Amino acid sequence: MNDTIKGVSTWRMAGGGPQRQGLSAQTVSFTPQLEQRLECSGSATSECVFSAEGIVFAADRAGGVQAFQPNGDLIWRRMLAGGIDAAPALDQNGERLFVATQLGRVHALDASNGKTIWETYIPARRDPRILSDLLYLDKADSVVASSWSETYFILDGASGDLKHSGSAGMYPRVPFSTDSDETLFGIRTEWKKDGCSVICFKSSLNGDDELVFGHDMLAVTNQFSPPIIIDDQPIILTNEDERSSICLEPQTMISQNTCVNAPLSVSPDGKLIVMEMNGQGCEIKRDQSDIRSIRFTQVDYWLGGAAVDAEGTRFAGDPHGVLHRWSEEEEPKILHESGRAFETRPSISPDGRLFAPCADGFVYVFA
Amino acid sequence: MKRSVPTTPVFTLPRRRFLQTTALAALAPRGWTAPAKVPRTPTALATCNRYEYSTIRTKLAAMFDQIGGVRQLVKNKFVTIKVNLVNSPVHIWSGLPIPMTTVTHPDVAKAVASLLHEYGARQIVFCDQLPFDGDARDDFKRYDYHIEDFQRLTDGKTVFENTRNKGRHGAYDLAKVPYGGLVASAWEVNQSYTRTDVLVSLTKLKSHISGGVTLGMKNLFGVPPSSMYGEDGVDEPNENATGYRGKTMHQSTHKPSTSVDTFLGTTVEDDHGYNVPRFIVDLNAAFPVQLTVIDGISTISTAEGAWMNNMVEVCRPNLLVAGLNPVCTDAAAASAMGFDPDAPDETPPFSNGTNCLRLARELGMGENRLENLDIVGEPLEKVRYTFQPTYQR
């Protein structure tokens, strides 16, 4: 186990990269000020992603996809049929932006001008929405999405052709993650005779799924958080009835007294950061030697997770429109009040600025 | 065997005169002509970031002033508030109490009650049919509605009533649909909905799998009592019934056990998207709502309740909506949700059937076209929160 976890240098998909750690290699100013607001076409509820040069890509629920220069100038705007909840993903060269809609289409857009390279429809029995944040695999040049057909799809990045599909279970909203070898990790909930089971499985790009570990439940509620991968090992979070469990490994579970809808994040020193539906937060060392409660005042619940910078400063926006900052040493402080809800995790640009999408249709930029 | 219930209610309050007046047009739809001018009243929109009684009260007071007429509407009047508490025993979902997700939050209800009391309401009766058979005050408490809080704010003038049966009244009333009804010609209901001067619809901002949106108009789906319309009241009337209206008003596989046959046989079996919007419109014609207030601070998207489980999720529009005409109010609210309130049938958000807002406009009940709506308060573009569409059944 490494002592220090290094975050992503370029935040190209939800959680920063395919390991979904929510950790950046950049440092945000400790007291960032609101620099500007980037205007989207509707409520912005998915994470922004960036090219290595700092081009900002923001999608919204009205179906708008926007590309902005690092200085905030609009480069292009594309309106797709169907709103967008799943965070887009950018390829390693910053050339193709992959976007999925609530109408079940996956689009590969030319990142320089927004024009369609290919688009494809993911079959759905009843509900075409794609809500799982997209995953892009560099080596395999593939995109992974899942839909309410309860199926996940691995699409060829160059053509959109289907490479492989498999069962995503009854909560296909949960995004996929990968380890450094691009082995896929997913979470699947299945009905069983006496209840249900939430399992973490891994899959090669064209092979059979393999059980990593499972957790039997009597009553299950919505699952949201993708596996986060640390040292190539998955850590999963599951919701059961009104409680949640963090499974560090098959035999090690930490039970929480509340549900969690926000994705997990990790700090550089390996603490898991959990934003809870009771409006509080907690941080857990992986060996459970240190569990810290994070007290937020007047937060009803958390929908978005935390973004963590290279110094370990944590940032998260709440549904009341308040952006918070805290660290290992410092209790939460209010950075900004926008007036409308933050429902997703902020992301950190390659030049160390913080981008917080907001339900009011703007992305708030702090530097 | 049908029970003996009054089919011609004894009207004692001004609201009934209003009902009788509108009933002048009580002809079958075939011979009925919608008014040339569709009613149109302002709808107020406001953002509100948290459930905090005093903040909500201040916001709503301003909104009531913006739409005008609320003070005069309730002064010295008996007011019935149909609150949206839904027929579900679930109290916690996704780690949150149900007022955060599915039902009208008690802080919004308290703010409305307090304002109507300040404006001079004589009595304020909160009603919904709840799937419990205890004392109504205990039933409401399951949704965090504590009678003592409301009594304190209204000087003891609040009553809670579980309208799953005839409740504290000795009998039911039959309320006719003025135009004869699309799917039901009349509704047999708890008298709290008929023996009153003012009917308020106090509801939650949500999508609905069958109705597209569930707002002030859809809230009246909770008016027909379980005792005759519920799953456990359809074979024969049952004052102990607590069931949901699936068989009668969704699947339409059963008729209710009302004292007279009021269902017209025009529903389509198992076609929720056809049946539900028509029941909504018929209910709103029979029970004209004079004030609608919509709690959109914290809710769920895609569908209407926690019982839809994996298809819904918590969302945070931070909105309040208020208006006098229920069609105009719902249309403005639907637009604030990012939807076209005049969208064609079987397109989002009315993905599974008929657009009930358009249906209501065509029957002359109110305006639903965005270009004709009068929106006051905060601008629509500023407050809009884009919902996910309902999924296709």
Side-chain angles (χ1 to χ4, degrees):
Chain A
M1 190 184 298
N2 294 329
D3 289 329
T4 302
I5 301 171
K6 191 173 184 305
V8 296
S9 54
T10 306
W11 195 291
R12 289 194 286 125
M13 60 195 84
Q19 301 183 342
R20 310 288 196 188
Q21 294 173 344
L23 175 62
S24 171
Q26 318 300 333
T27 300
V28 179
S29 163
F30 192 67
T31 54
Q33 303 296 310
L34 179 65
E35 183 184 81
Q36 60 180 316
R37 298 187 311 165
L38 308 179
E39 187 171 7
C40 296
S41 308
S43 300
T45 56
S46 57
E47 292 176 38
C48 291
V49 299
F50 307 89
S51 71
E53 295 74 32
I55 305 293
V56 189
F57 299 94
D60 61 63
R61 279 196 175 166
V65 186
Q66 288 83 197
F68 300 95
Q69 295 282 8
N71 68 3
D73 290 347
L74 181 69
I75 304 171
W76 54 261
R77 185 189 305 276
R78 177 84 191 275
M79 294 303 296
L80 301 177
I84 300 162
D85 263 286
L90 191 69
D91 71 12
Q92 71 271 40
N93 299 320
E95 293 173 351
R96 288 169 297 167
L97 181 74
F98 301 97
V99 185
T101 70
Q102 294 167 354
L103 294 183
R105 288 199 167 270
V106 180
H107 302 253
L109 304 180
D110 184 329
S112 67
N113 56 27
K115 290 184 177 166
T116 297
I117 299 170
W118 55 259
E119 64 177 275
T120 190
Y121 177 71
I122 286 187
R125 265 203 315 275
R126 54 176 183 165
D127 182 1
R129 289 176 301 152
I130 300 171
L131 302 180
S132 61
D133 297 328
L134 295 184
L135 174 71
Y136 177 74
L137 307 173
D138 292 345
K139 295 174 193 164
D141 188 18
S142 297
V143 185
V144 185
S146 46
S147 81
W148 292 95
S149 60
E150 300 183 0
T151 305
Y152 70 89
F153 299 85
I154 302 174
L155 306 174
D156 181 71
S159 65
D161 292 344
L162 180 65
K163 286 182 167 180
H164 177 66
S165 65
S167 170
M170 57 187 282
Y171 293 101
R173 193 192 200 295
V174 186
F176 280 75
S177 313
T178 68
D179 63 13
S180 55
D181 288 334
E182 295 196 338
T183 299
L184 281 180
F185 288 87
I187 292 175
R188 181 163 65 223
T189 306
E190 298 172 334
W191 288 111
K192 294 173 61 180
K193 191 177 177 186
D194 300 321
C196 55
S197 175
V198 178
I199 64 166
C200 178
F201 65 97
K202 67 179 181 180
S203 173
S204 59
L205 292 185
N206 49 15
D208 293 333
D209 296 343
E210 179 186 332
L211 177 71
V212 178
F213 54 89
H215 180 33
D216 289 340
M217 295 175 159
L218 290 174
V220 69
T221 187
N222 286 11
Q223 309 295 326
F224 291 93
S225 185
I228 67 166
I229 312 297
I230 303 175
D231 298 331
D232 280 347
Q233 295 299 312
I235 292 172
I236 73 166
L237 184 147
T238 61
N239 286 323
E240 178 177 11
D241 216 355
E242 303 316 320
R243 301 169 63 82
S244 62
S245 298
I246 299 166
C247 307
L248 301 172
E249 51 189 88
Q251 305 304 322
T252 310
M253 286 188 8
I254 302 171
S255 191
Q256 305 278 106
N257 287 320
T258 178
C259 283
V260 177
N261 284 15
L264 293 172
S265 304
V266 66
S267 65
D269 63 353
K271 279 188 173 171
L272 298 169
I273 300 163
V274 190
M275 309 304 286
E276 303 167 336
M277 286 303 269
N278 60 9
Q280 303 302 320
C282 79
E283 300 191 353
I284 305 165
K285 196 84 175 169
R286 285 168 66 198
D287 63 4
Q288 300 187 63
S289 61
D290 184 9
I291 298 179
R292 173 192 177 199
S293 292
I294 312 297
R295 297 286 164 208
F296 297 93
T297 55
Q298 294 194 314
V299 179
D300 284 344
Y301 48 81
W302 288 97
L303 298 176
V308 186
D309 76 3
E311 299 295 320
T313 307
R314 290 87 153 141
F315 302 92
D318 72 26
H320 311 279
V322 178
L323 191 67
H324 305 257
R325 179 205 68 203
W326 71 104
S327 68
E328 185 73 37
E329 301 80 22
E330 188 194 42
E331 292 300 308
K333 293 229 170 12
I334 291 175
L335 263 187
H336 183 80
E337 297 188 45
S338 78
R340 299 298 293 279
F342 293 114
E343 295 191 1
T344 190
R345 172 164 46 196
S347 45
I348 297 171
S349 66
D351 61 358
R353 289 181 296 159
L354 190 72
F355 288 69
C358 185
D360 66 2
F362 289 91
V363 176
Y364 287 70
V365 185
F366 299 86
Chain B
M1 185 79 176
K2 300 289 185 189
R3 274 173 309 163
S4 175
V5 291
T7 55
T8 308
V10 180
F11 293 152
T12 57
L13 293 168
R15 173 177 162 75
R16 298 204 193 91
R17 290 200 291 274
F18 174 73
L19 289 170
Q20 286 174 315
T21 304
T22 58
L24 291 174
L27 305 169
R30 189 182 303 162
W32 186 77
T33 307
K37 193 171 182 185
V38 179
R40 198 175 111 178
T41 60
T43 301
L45 303 175
T47 52
C48 186
N49 283 356
R50 58 182 75 245
Y51 288 110
E52 194 173 63
Y53 164 74
S54 58
T55 305
I56 295 168
R57 191 182 189 281
T58 303
K59 294 259 181 189
L60 284 176
M63 295 168 77
F64 290 164
D65 286 343
Q66 287 158 352
I67 59 177
V70 180
R71 287 172 190 271
Q72 301 89 315
L73 180 70
V74 302
K75 188 171 184 182
N76 294 323
K77 301 288 176 57
F78 288 92
V79 178
T80 290
I81 298 179
K82 168 60 180 76
V83 62
N84 183 215
L85 296 182
V86 305
N87 191 277
S88 169
V90 174
H91 183 69
I92 300 281
W93 179 76
S94 206
L96 297 176
I98 199 169
M100 284 284 184
T101 59
T102 311
V103 306
T104 312
H105 195 283
D107 283 345
V108 179
K110 282 188 278 191
V112 170
S114 169
L115 285 166
L116 299 192
H117 170 60
E118 180 188 309
Y119 300 162
R122 290 174 68 181
Q123 186 183 52
I124 301 165
V125 182
F126 279 88
C127 296
D128 197 0
Q129 71 166 287
L130 310 175
F132 310 107
D133 59 4
D135 183 287
R137 290 167 296 189
D138 294 331
D139 298 342
F140 273 71
K141 200 180 288 183
R142 295 169 184 261
Y143 302 84
D144 299 334
Y145 282 59
H146 300 277
I147 189 67
E148 54 275 17
D149 295 342
F150 286 78
Q151 297 292 35
R152 181 173 44 80
L153 294 167
T154 61
D155 292 335
K157 291 179 179 171
T158 300
V159 174
F160 287 168
E161 173 130 31
N162 184 345
T163 52
R164 67 184 178 83
N165 54 20
K166 59 177 174 278
R168 63 196 163 102
H169 307 284
Y172 291 100
D173 277 346
L174 194 72
K176 293 179 180 175
V177 179
Y179 50 75
L182 298 173
V183 286
S185 60
W187 299 93
E188 196 162 0
V189 300
N190 181 296
Q191 292 178 344
S192 291
Y193 296 114
T194 49
R195 304 189 179 213
T196 185
D197 298 315
V198 177
L199 180 60
V200 177
S201 180
L202 173 57
T203 191
K204 197 82 166 175
L205 189 82
K206 291 185 292 184
S207 302
H208 192 274
I209 187 64
S210 306
V213 288
T214 172
L215 303 166
M217 293 176 66
K218 171 63 176 63
N219 185 27
L220 297 199
F221 232 71
V223 170
S226 296
S227 57
M228 290 175 284
Y229 297 81
E231 304 281 347
D232 43 356
V234 290
D235 293 331
E236 57 182 24
N238 175 7
E239 283 295 299
N240 296 319
T242 56
Y244 170 68
R245 295 159 299 274
K247 291 178 181 174
T248 51
M249 293 167 62
H250 292 77
Q251 292 103 307
S252 296
T253 53
H254 291 67
K255 285 193 171 184
S257 56
T258 43
S259 62
V260 290
D261 192 357
T262 62
F263 275 28
L264 301 171
T266 50
T267 50
V268 178
E269 198 167 304
D270 286 327
D271 190 343
H272 299 217
Y274 181 90
N275 301 330
V276 168
R278 285 164 175 77
F279 280 124
I280 292 171
V281 172
D282 283 352
L283 280 163
N284 277 269
F287 304 97
V289 168
Q290 288 128 298
L291 173 66
T292 297
V293 178
I294 304 175
D295 163 19
I297 296 175
S298 178
T299 181
I300 49 177
S301 63
T302 306
E304 62 270 25
W307 51 90
M308 313 300 285
N309 212 354
N310 60 343
M311 308 309 286
V312 297
E313 56 193 71
V314 180
C315 69
R316 191 80 181 196
N318 287 329
L319 285 178
L320 289 170
V321 183
L324 299 174
N325 180 283
V327 185
C328 299
T329 310
D330 281 10
S335 188
M337 297 164 80
F339 299 132
D340 173 6
D342 197 40
D345 296 350
E346 298 183 359
T347 66
F350 311 102
S351 307
N352 292 296
T354 307
N355 178 346
C356 65
L357 302 175
R358 177 188 50 75
L359 206 55
R361 190 235 314 150
E362 289 172 354
L363 286 164
M365 295 164 67
E367 181 56 75
N368 74 312
R369 292 164 294 192
L370 180 58
E371 62 272 23
N372 294 337
L373 294 177
D374 182 10
I375 294 176
V376 296
E378 297 185 46
L380 177 62
E381 295 70 27
K382 179 171 173 278
V383 307
R384 184 173 278 139
Y385 174 96
T386 323
F387 271 64
Q388 291 181 25
T390 47
Y391 59 89
Q392 287 185 307
R393 187 182 292 279

